[in-house]
Amino acid sequence: FDPRHYLGTHRYSWPKTGPHRLRFLLESVKDLRETLKKKGSTLVVRKGKPEDVVRDLITQLGSVTAVVFHEEVREVL
């Protein structure tokens, strides 16, 4: 979870992530983790800037050969 997605406001004084959306995200991640666990896998969840968290995970794991990511689509005005 990137803290920058949950702090401050977006536009028109609306919070970037309100309590209902945050609850939905947390429940979704919990459900995904449980589903993966039933299939013999796991889900790594971290809080921090992705550029720092991914670097630290690569260092910790040591044998990473590829990193795949998705960039959030942003509205163009």
Side-chain angles (χ1 to χ4, degrees):
F1 289 96
D2 186 341
R4 296 172 290 194
H5 289 224
Y6 306 97
L7 302 174
T9 60
H10 186 60
R11 289 197 182 108
Y12 312 111
S13 298
W14 289 89
K16 284 185 178 180
T17 303
H20 299 291
R21 181 173 184 204
L22 181 58
R23 177 194 278 151
F24 172 77
L25 289 171
L26 293 173
E27 289 174 355
S28 297
V29 169
K30 181 180 176 184
D31 183 65
L32 176 59
R33 176 180 268 162
E34 290 171 1
T35 300
L36 289 170
K37 190 174 182 178
K38 289 176 187 175
K39 296 182 180 288
S41 190
T42 190
L43 178 65
V44 175
V45 179
R46 297 287 188 267
K47 176 184 170 191
K49 294 179 180 178
E51 56 270 26
D52 297 333
V53 172
V54 172
R55 181 193 63 230
D56 293 346
L57 282 172
I58 290 170
T59 301
Q60 180 183 354
L61 295 171
S63 62
V64 176
T65 58
V67 175
V68 180
F69 67 94
H70 160 73
E71 185 174 353
E72 185 175 351
V73 177
R74 297 182 186 226
E75 181 180 349
V76 178
L77 298 176

